[in-house]
Structure formats: structure tokens, C-alpha cells
Amino acid sequence: MSESNFEDFVRQHRQNFEEAGPPPGVWAELEQQLAPGKKRKVIQLMGRHWLKAAAVLVLMVNSVMIYQFIQMKKAQHLTNVSPEMQEAKMYYTAQIEQRLETIKRYPDALLGLDSMARKELELRNETYQVLETELIQNPGNERIKAAMVRYYQLKLDLLDKILEELREKQPVSQKQSDYEREI
Amino acid sequence: MQASANNLNNTTITDHLVSRCKKGDVHAFRELYNAYSGAMYNICLRMTGNTADAEDTLQEAFMQIFRNIERLENAGSVTAWIKRIVVNHCLSHLRRKKVYFEEVDNIDIEEDNAIVDEDNFAWTVAAIKEAIHVLPPGYRTVLNLYIFEEYSHKEIANMLDISESTVKTQYMRAKDKVRQIIKQKNVIR
């Protein structure tokens, strides 16, 4: 076939039609684009597993909310709300528990109190819990603080009176020796 | 026997390279680019007609190649696959430049009835390149796809969304134009 035919000529000189390759800048640009491509791949993967991603996100949000709730509850503790009341509480608690221990050493018959009255003598009865909750919700309320102190003092007075009566009926020393003998 | 062993070896290398590319290995991307960028840049250069557009088109095409290589099922067809992506990007570029590939009936062609005796026509590479460069983009596209990229008339018709007969006619007319341009510019001595 003659070389003068257009198609034949092009095919036979095909390589001579080729130019040099692209300048280096083309690859440099591509290389730069390939770096954010990694990020894109992560987004694509997230898209493919969107349900799992959403579930993980919900769990994470829940965890954060539960943590914050616990932190809030901790912050609401009496120690954080009113340090001076916590101090008063510790003092009166020690005093009241000491008296209650002494009272418990006397026989029930001598004490002459039914179970309801005994419950009232306990340190953290319903009245006390109401006052403490009120103080946590209203940390700066002086009336509540005063009421709590008054509560402690009344309880102490009451316990002292009971103890006084008990001692009159049966001195503590004798009771203690009986108790020790039982052990 | 030696040739088939070389082919087998090349196939293994290509399979391995494609496999690395699918894993997102940037070094493999570089190797793939080095292997194909020369030939693909020439396609872009012929189709767009200038270096700036050729570089942009090549870059866009390779970015698509890297992003979509995981979809390539048969590593053995990687050359045809890459070439097709590059050609598609070139065609998109031409469409953005408002180059339309219309049916023959709708285009007005200045006919040159002068019959050129091909057997006595002394073609040269430089003259053909220069003539193709100044062809109208529509003609240039059909001629390039057929003679240089070696697509069939049917394949070109599908790519340009025109009939096969229109492709054949446009190719013949493009070839005539090349001859006319060479003749007019007196490039052929």
C-alpha cells in the first residue's frame, strides 16, 4: 500500500506524532489533591456506614449527658452547696449519734417508746431530709439553714431529756455493767 | 514464547500496580501516572488543541482515575479504561467550550470539490499536525478519535451522541479539510 494514503501514513509514522509528556507541575497538583482525598475517603466510609456512625454518636452524646448529670448531682451535695451547714451537720451528727447509742443500751421496756417514736429519734428522719433537699435547691436561704440548726438542737434537747429520765430510772453505770456481763 | 512470557510478566506487574492503587498507595498512583501520562497528555493535546487546556484536562482525568480505580474490575483493561476516562474529559472540556457535534444535515460545510490524488500527495508529520491544529474543533475531534485514538465509527458515534453515518461523513470531510489546508498553506512542497 502506498505511503501517500493519509491513514497509512499516519499509522506508519504514529510515534512521530507524539509530543513530550506533561510538565512536572501536573503531577505536583495531583499530589496535592491526593492528600485531602484521604479525608474524603473517610467521609465516604462514614457515608457507607452512616447508621453505625449515628448510633455511635448517640451513645457518645448520652455518655456526655450522663456524665454531666452525675457532675451536677455531685455539685448539689450539701458539701458544695453550703460548707458551713456540712460542718454543723458533722458536729450535731456526732452529738446525736453518741446520745442515741447510749439510749439504745437501755432495755425497750424501760425506754417506753413505740417503733414510730424510735424512728423519729433517728438522725435522718423525714423532716431532716425535707430540710436538706430544700437547702440544696435554695443554697443561700438562711431561714432553711436556721431551721436545720434548730432541728438539730431540738433533737439534741429531746435526746438529753430522754437520757435524763432514763438515768433517773436506771443509772448508766449499772446498765453498762449488765451489758458488759452479757458480752 | 519469549513474547508471551513478557506479556504474562507485564500483566502481573499491571495487576499488582492496580491492586496497590486500589489500596490508596500514593506511590502506586505515581507509578501509574508515570506509565500513562505521556500518551494521555498527547490525547489531551490533540483534542483540546493547546497545552494549558491539555494539562488541566489531564489533571482532572487522572484525579477521576485515582478516585475510581477501586471500581475497575479487570486490571487487564486498565489502558482502555484510562484512555476512555481521558477522552471523556476531553469531550466534556469541548462541550464546555460550546463545541457541538451535530448531525451532518445541520452543519454548513464549505465544500471543496477539488479532487486530490492521494497517491501523489506527499504527506509529512509536521504538515498534518499543523493542518489538524487549525481544523474546526468538531472535525478535529472526529478525526483524532478515529485516526489517532483508533476508535471505530460506531464507538465515536456513541461518544458524541450522533449517528454512525454522520461520523463517517465528518471524518471524510475532516480528512479533505486537512488536505485543503495543507494545499492552501503550501506546506507540501
Side-chain angles (χ1 to χ4, degrees):
Chain A
M1 193 176 282
S2 168
E3 198 180 282
S4 59
N5 178 280
F6 177 70
E7 285 84 3
D8 290 341
F9 179 85
V10 170
R11 283 182 194 120
Q12 284 169 23
H13 298 85
R14 184 66 182 78
Q15 276 306 308
N16 297 335
F17 282 92
E18 294 294 287
E19 303 277 342
V26 178
W27 171 253
E29 287 280 333
L30 277 168
E31 204 173 22
Q32 274 189 343
Q33 287 181 42
L34 284 172
K38 285 177 186 168
K39 202 186 280 177
R40 195 186 61 86
K41 196 160 188 172
V42 171
I43 294 163
Q44 267 186 347
L45 281 172
M46 274 192 72
R48 205 177 295 166
H49 303 289
W50 67 271
L51 192 60
K52 287 177 192 169
V56 168
L57 189 69
V58 167
L59 281 173
M60 282 170 72
V61 168
N62 278 353
S63 302
V64 169
M65 285 181 76
I66 289 166
Y67 176 77
Q68 284 181 341
F69 180 75
I70 290 166
Q71 291 299 312
M72 193 181 75
K73 279 285 168 194
K74 275 184 185 171
Q76 282 181 346
H77 193 268
L78 194 60
T79 315
N80 301 306
V81 172
S82 176
E84 73 272 20
M85 279 312 298
Q86 180 65 15
E87 213 169 292
K89 180 182 168 180
M90 282 172 72
Y91 168 76
Y92 285 112
T93 300
Q95 295 291 318
I96 291 166
E97 278 181 348
Q98 186 193 352
R99 282 158 179 76
L100 281 170
E101 274 301 306
T102 312
I103 290 168
K104 277 179 188 170
R105 288 174 192 165
Y106 288 93
D108 289 349
L110 189 68
L111 196 58
L113 294 173
D114 57 19
S115 61
M116 215 158 159
R118 275 174 175 274
K119 202 162 185 175
E120 269 303 304
L121 290 180
E122 283 175 14
L123 176 63
R124 290 175 185 85
N125 65 10
E126 208 175 315
T127 312
Y128 172 84
Q129 281 166 358
V130 168
L131 283 171
E132 194 175 69
T133 309
E134 282 287 313
L135 185 63
I136 287 166
Q137 285 169 1
N138 308 281
N141 194 319
E142 293 300 324
R143 286 181 65 189
I144 299 170
K145 286 180 189 175
M148 284 183 84
V149 171
R150 183 80 186 126
Y151 166 84
Y152 286 128
Q153 286 170 344
L154 281 171
K155 183 154 277 191
L156 265 180
D157 287 349
L158 180 65
L159 291 170
D160 282 341
K161 275 183 184 171
I162 292 169
L163 271 174
E164 201 178 317
E165 281 182 19
L166 286 170
R167 280 188 189 115
E168 280 174 8
K169 289 177 186 172
Q170 188 175 348
V172 175
S173 57
Q174 193 189 334
K175 167 67 194 158
Q176 276 177 336
S177 57
D178 290 346
Y179 176 74
E180 281 159 6
R181 270 201 301 275
E182 279 170 16
I183 295 170
Chain B
M1 184 69 92
Q2 181 68 41
S4 69
N6 284 340
N7 285 342
L8 190 67
N9 198 29
N10 286 340
T11 307
T12 311
I13 292 167
T14 308
D15 283 353
H16 183 58
L17 181 60
V18 170
S19 168
R20 284 168 55 217
C21 286
K22 283 183 178 183
K23 288 173 188 166
D25 181 348
V26 179
H27 296 294
F29 286 151
R30 179 70 198 253
E31 285 175 42
L32 192 78
Y33 177 82
N34 286 345
Y36 289 97
S37 62
M40 297 306 124
Y41 178 66
N42 271 277
I43 294 176
C44 295
L45 211 50
R46 282 191 288 269
M47 298 278 283
T48 63
N50 69 81
T51 55
D53 287 344
E55 286 168 23
D56 287 348
T57 310
L58 183 77
Q59 192 180 309
E60 284 171 17
F62 263 95
M63 209 56 227
Q64 194 190 339
I65 289 162
F66 295 151
R67 283 175 178 162
N68 293 313
I69 198 156
E70 60 188 330
R71 294 182 195 168
L72 178 66
E73 288 175 4
N74 178 16
S77 63
V78 66
T79 306
W81 181 73
I82 287 175
K83 187 174 165 183
R84 189 58 193 266
I85 289 175
V86 171
V87 167
N88 283 344
H89 272 268
C90 291
L91 294 176
S92 297
H93 167 82
L94 292 174
R95 287 190 180 104
R96 283 201 299 271
K97 294 261 179 178
K98 310 289 180 199
V99 175
Y100 298 108
F101 308 101
E102 294 169 353
E103 294 294 335
V104 168
D105 292 347
N106 300 331
I107 52 176
D108 180 27
I109 302 162
E110 189 188 323
E111 294 289 347
D112 183 347
N113 294 323
I115 297 165
V116 179
D117 180 3
E118 282 202 355
D119 286 344
N120 297 320
F121 208 92
W123 302 100
T124 67
V125 171
I128 292 172
K129 280 170 82 171
E130 197 181 332
I132 290 173
H133 186 71
V134 296
L135 273 180
Y139 282 1
R140 190 173 65 223
T141 303
V142 173
L143 188 133
N144 277 330
L145 289 174
Y146 184 75
I147 196 76
F148 290 103
E149 314 322 334
E150 298 178 337
Y151 286 111
S152 69
H153 290 310
K154 194 177 177 181
E155 285 171 318
I156 298 167
N158 287 335
M159 283 180 201
L160 304 182
D161 199 23
I162 53 177
S163 69
E164 199 178 330
S165 61
T166 298
V167 173
K168 283 179 186 171
T169 310
Q170 287 215 23
Y171 172 70
M172 292 306 291
R173 288 178 178 174
K175 201 166 73 169
D176 282 345
K177 273 276 180 191
V178 168
R179 274 198 298 263
Q180 285 170 31
I181 291 163
I182 291 171
K183 216 173 123 186
Q184 281 166 12
K185 290 201 172 184
N186 205 17
V187 177
I188 304 293
R189 305 286 175 215

